[in-house]
């Protein structure tokens, strides 16, 4: 086999070059002074008023026998702190554009109820509101990301919310906050101006939403946050590049802190497939949809570069993850699904894409945090477990705020029924202490892959490894077997004169650390 030319990871996604079975993928990792920092906010999460995400998930109330702090489960707080969760998006999602924040403040018994029209038609009592969420973020050490109501709200309502949460002086909203028991402002930095304005947020055209965004952004004033607040526009639905083009063209850069993108890994919206009982066909096509993220980020970035060559506007992938049919016997409006090795592979590969595009992607939010879609935590009354996706995100937390190390290679192919995908996904970084971390994913469902990494340029010699894998793709952590899939020591590599020779098993995620 002829020696393959080294190309950037961006191009490997589209590579059509096949490797002979038993071949070695040659990977080069380089120091580059001009490389960006991987923003820790790429590792953010999402908590919507949906199913058992908030009520019965995060929030059990302060009278619950489940150990809690002001109604928020202590075990969830502990698990998310260990995950180093950098930010949390709330209250939606579609729910955000029917949520009126003043309904969720003041004495709990006096708060009005609301019907969740989007997710199951359930009645909520608003016992979890602004104070509860922002105080929870303080417990987590996470930045709150508030999604404002544009669909059914008003400019005044959102402007008041900013003043309520952020203003320390005397004003109607800061006086109301103090009356409700919070003297100092929370100083919320990240603000979404609506959600999915092209769909559940109002079925708007891009041109109409751009004008609405400009109006709302104008009246969202904050004189106290260092650097001001970050206003985030409701971005495109997956490959709707026209949406990005219209917003970048029509919204002044100085009014736009971030532009969203939403993309879910879905086989078919009409028949999404089972979360556990799936075949290799279901696995392959879910990964095919997930790896489309590379193309989406690349093409949306190119459009943004036309109007913002200095990359002042962040790409915010504030909803991503796998979406399957709900678990049998559960409420179809609650979007509860299990989490297998397929999800671990999907998470690792997606995060590698975000890392490698750190110059533009500076925040992302996995959907969702607890009991919904690709959750990192599942609960059953007093029981709580962490999922394979949790373990991947915890393993990858070493990349948070580390300097990207450009990585180049040509991936072998994972072939199924005549279709192909890149089998190997990778990213690398160096942290402030000089430690190097290389994250590798083998997407191939059947074949191990051999990888050779030249690390001579990195100034580190001693490597250790951790792996997430299991006997079957369909394996998952249950409440009976909560530790079926956990990180373990990886020994499938050797360091020979500055070259790591690695054999990575099928459908596995590996992180190597060099010091």
């Amino acid at each position: 086999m002829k020696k393959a030319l080294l190309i950037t990871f961006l191009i490997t996604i589209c590579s059509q070059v096949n490797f002979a079975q038993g071949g070695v993928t040659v990977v080069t990792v380089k120091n580059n002074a001009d490389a960006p920092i991987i923003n820790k906010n790429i590792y953010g999460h999402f908590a919507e008023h949906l199913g058992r995400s908030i009520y019965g998930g995060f929030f059990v109330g302060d009278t619950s026998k489940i150990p809690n702090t002001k109604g928020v489960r202590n075990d969830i707080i502990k698990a998310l702190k260990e995950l180093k969760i950098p930010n949390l998006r709330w209250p939606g999602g579609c729910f955000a554009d029917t949520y009126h924040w003043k309904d969720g403040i003041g004495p709990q018994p006096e708060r009005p109820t609301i019907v969740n029209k989007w997710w199951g038609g359930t009645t909520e009592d608003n016992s979890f509101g602004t104070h509860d969420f922002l105080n929870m973020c303080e417990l987590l050490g996470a930045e709150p990301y508030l999604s404002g109501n544009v669909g059914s709200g008003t400019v005044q309502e959102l402007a008041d919310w900013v003043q309520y949460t952020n203003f320390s002086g005397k004003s109607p909203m800061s006086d109301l906050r103090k009356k409700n028991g919070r003297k100092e402002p929370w100083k919320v930095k990240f603000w979404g101006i609506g959600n999915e304005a092209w769909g559940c947020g109002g079925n708007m055209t891009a041109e109409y939403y751009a004008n609405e965004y400009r109006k709302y952004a104008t009246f969202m004033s904050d004189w106290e946050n260092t650097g001001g607040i970050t206003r985030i526009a409701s971005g495109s639905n997956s490959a709707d590049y026209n949406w990005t083009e219209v917003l970048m063209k029509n919204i002044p850069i100085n009014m736009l802190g971030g532009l969203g993108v939403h993309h879910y890994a879905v086989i078919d919206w009409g028949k999404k497939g089972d979360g556990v009982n799936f075949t290799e066909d279901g696995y392959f096509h879910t990964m095919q949809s997930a790896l489309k993220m590379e193309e989406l980020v690349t093409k949306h970035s190119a459009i943004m570069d036309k109007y913002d060559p200095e990359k002042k506007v962040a790409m915010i992938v504030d909803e991503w993850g796998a979406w399957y049919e709900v678990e049998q016997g559960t409420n179809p409006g609650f979007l509860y699904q299990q989490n297998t090795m397929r999800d671990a592979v999907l998470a690792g590969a997606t995060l590698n894409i975000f890392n490698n595009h750190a110059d533009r992607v500076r925040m992302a939010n996995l959907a969702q945090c607890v009991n919904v879609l690709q959750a990192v935590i599942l609960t059953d009354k007093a029981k709580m477990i962490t999922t394979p996706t949790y373990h991947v995100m915890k393993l990858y937390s070493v990349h948070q705020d580390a300097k990207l190390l450009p990585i180049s290679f040509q991936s072998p192919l994972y072939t199924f029924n005549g279709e192909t995908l890149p089998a190997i996904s990778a990213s690398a970084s160096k942290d402030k202490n000089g430690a190097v971390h290389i994250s590798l994913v083998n997407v191939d469902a059947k074949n191990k892959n051999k990888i050779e990494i030249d690390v001579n340029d990195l100034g580190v010699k001693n490597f250790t490894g951790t792996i997430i894998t299991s006997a079957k793709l369909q394996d998952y952590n249950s409440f009976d077997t909560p530790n079926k899939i956990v990180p373990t020591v990886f020994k499938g590599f050797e360091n020979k004169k500055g070259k790591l020779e690695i054999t990575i098993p099928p459908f596995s995620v590996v992180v190597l650390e060099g010091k």
Side-chain angles (χ1 to χ4, degrees):
M1 181 177 65
K2 295 181 178 179
K3 183 178 179 181
L5 296 175
L6 293 179
I7 59 176
T8 65
F9 179 71
L10 302 182
I11 299 175
T12 65
I13 294 299
C14 300
S15 171
Q16 295 299 311
V17 179
N18 209 341
F19 276 67
Q21 187 67 34
V24 177
T25 301
V26 179
V27 175
T28 301
V29 183
K30 293 286 187 180
N31 280 305
N32 184 340
D34 296 325
I37 299 296
I38 298 171
N39 195 309
K40 67 180 181 180
N41 285 314
I42 284 173
Y43 291 82
H45 292 264
F46 177 27
E48 184 170 5
H49 283 245
L50 196 174
R52 293 190 299 110
S53 170
I54 302 298
Y55 301 110
F58 282 101
F59 190 72
V60 291
D62 57 11
T63 62
S64 174
K65 293 181 180 179
I66 299 172
N68 66 85
T69 301
K70 294 183 178 179
V72 177
R73 291 180 66 134
N74 292 340
D75 52 1
I76 289 181
I77 295 295
K78 180 177 183 292
L80 292 180
K81 289 180 73 172
E82 291 175 358
L83 199 62
K84 299 180 181 177
I85 177 175
N87 69 78
L88 186 60
R89 181 175 180 243
W90 176 86
C94 292
F95 181 84
D97 282 293
T98 53
Y99 182 69
H100 300 280
W101 68 270
K102 290 181 182 177
D103 291 344
I105 61 173
Q108 286 189 2
E110 298 176 13
R111 299 178 189 179
T113 58
I114 182 176
V115 174
N116 191 331
K117 65 169 289 185
W118 296 109
W119 307 115
T122 56
T123 299
E124 301 185 10
D125 64 3
N126 271 312
S127 55
F128 188 90
T130 296
H131 288 249
D132 309 279
F133 175 71
L134 296 180
N135 290 342
M136 182 177 77
C137 286
E138 287 186 335
L139 289 174
L140 291 169
E143 290 278 1
Y145 170 12
L146 294 179
S147 285
N149 182 346
V150 171
S152 68
T154 65
V155 172
Q156 184 69 56
E157 183 178 11
L158 187 49
D160 283 350
W161 205 9
V162 176
Q163 188 181 102
Y164 186 89
T165 60
N166 286 16
F167 189 61
S168 63
K170 183 173 178 57
S171 73
M173 290 300 104
S174 59
D175 286 350
L176 181 58
R177 182 190 69 242
K178 292 170 187 176
K179 177 183 176 183
N180 288 328
R182 174 78 183 199
K183 181 180 179 182
E184 298 300 324
W186 293 277
K187 296 188 176 181
V188 178
K189 180 178 181 181
F190 299 111
W191 291 86
I193 300 181
N195 167 77
E196 295 190 355
W198 41 264
C200 63
N203 285 302
M204 304 177 194
T205 64
E207 290 79 7
Y208 182 87
Y209 173 71
N211 286 333
E212 286 293 283
Y213 176 94
R214 291 168 63 131
K215 181 171 65 174
Y216 274 79
T218 298
F219 294 95
M220 293 172 65
S221 301
D222 181 3
W223 300 100
E224 300 198 13
N225 260 344
T226 302
I229 60 177
T230 298
R231 301 170 180 85
I232 300 168
S234 171
S236 72
N237 178 18
S238 197
D240 185 352
Y241 301 114
N242 178 67
W243 188 274
T244 297
E245 182 91 37
V246 169
L247 267 56
M248 291 300 300
K249 181 180 179 179
N250 291 295
I251 300 173
I253 297 300
N254 64 1
M255 297 180 73
L256 188 59
L259 179 59
V261 174
H262 288 183
H263 176 65
Y264 287 96
V266 177
I267 298 173
D268 182 334
W269 283 103
K271 191 176 181 181
K272 295 185 281 290
D274 195 273
V276 173
N277 298 312
F278 56 89
T279 62
E280 186 177 353
D281 183 88
Y283 169 74
F284 182 92
H285 288 101
T286 298
M287 290 307 303
Q288 187 178 57
S289 179
L291 292 176
K292 187 177 175 64
M293 186 68 79
E294 172 69 29
E295 175 187 324
L296 296 173
V297 169
T298 300
K299 289 185 176 181
H300 283 297
S301 292
I303 295 168
M304 295 175 75
D305 287 347
K306 286 170 55 179
Y307 302 94
D308 175 32
E310 297 180 2
K311 300 184 186 293
K312 293 180 179 179
V313 180
M315 183 182 295
I316 313 289
V317 189
D318 46 13
E319 290 187 28
W320 69 272
W323 194 322
Y324 313 120
E325 302 292 351
V326 301
E327 287 294 295
Q328 291 185 5
T330 65
N331 188 320
F334 284 9
L335 305 188
Y336 178 82
Q337 62 190 41
Q338 252 298 349
N339 199 290
T340 67
M341 273 304 306
R342 172 172 61 175
D343 300 287
V345 172
L346 189 155
T350 303
L351 291 169
N352 283 338
I353 292 169
F354 295 158
N355 288 347
N356 286 315
H357 286 277
D359 60 335
R360 181 64 84 177
V361 179
R362 297 199 284 276
M363 183 186 287
N365 301 85
L366 175 67
Q368 292 188 18
C369 197
V370 180
N371 290 332
V372 174
L373 297 177
Q374 193 174 342
V376 294
I377 290 171
L378 301 177
T379 67
D380 179 11
K381 298 175 183 174
K383 296 179 181 179
M384 187 207 81
I385 58 173
T386 53
T387 68
T389 298
Y390 174 94
H391 294 301
V392 170
M393 296 200 80
K394 185 175 180 181
L395 203 58
Y396 272 48
S397 66
V398 293
H399 292 302
Q400 292 187 19
D401 285 341
K403 190 174 185 63
L404 179 69
L405 295 174
I407 191 166
S408 58
F409 68 98
Q410 186 166 304
S411 176
L413 296 180
Y414 165 34
T415 302
F416 176 78
N417 281 352
E419 295 184 271
T420 59
L421 290 174
I424 298 299
S425 164
S427 66
S429 67
K430 178 178 281 189
D431 68 20
K432 62 182 180 181
N433 298 317
V436 169
H437 296 98
I438 304 170
S439 50
L440 302 164
V441 179
N442 185 4
V443 176
D444 198 309
K446 299 183 293 289
N447 300 310
K448 62 186 178 181
N449 272 285
K450 294 181 180 180
I451 301 168
E452 180 184 280
I453 305 180
D454 187 340
V455 293
N456 283 296
D457 190 52
L458 303 182
V460 293
K461 295 182 178 180
N462 299 315
F463 279 85
T464 57
T466 307
I467 188 169
I468 298 173
T469 191
S470 195
K472 296 192 303 180
L473 265 169
Q474 295 81 3
D475 285 345
Y476 60 93
N477 292 338
S478 70
F479 293 99
D480 294 325
T481 56
N483 297 312
K484 189 176 185 67
I485 299 172
V486 294
T488 57
V489 174
F490 177 63
K491 296 183 178 180
F493 69 97
E494 293 183 272
N495 190 351
K496 295 183 177 180
K497 297 182 179 180
K499 292 186 177 180
L500 296 179
E501 296 181 357
I502 305 157
T503 301
I504 182 169
F507 59 90
S508 60
V509 181
V510 168
V511 172
L512 301 172
E513 180 177 76
K515 292 183 177 180

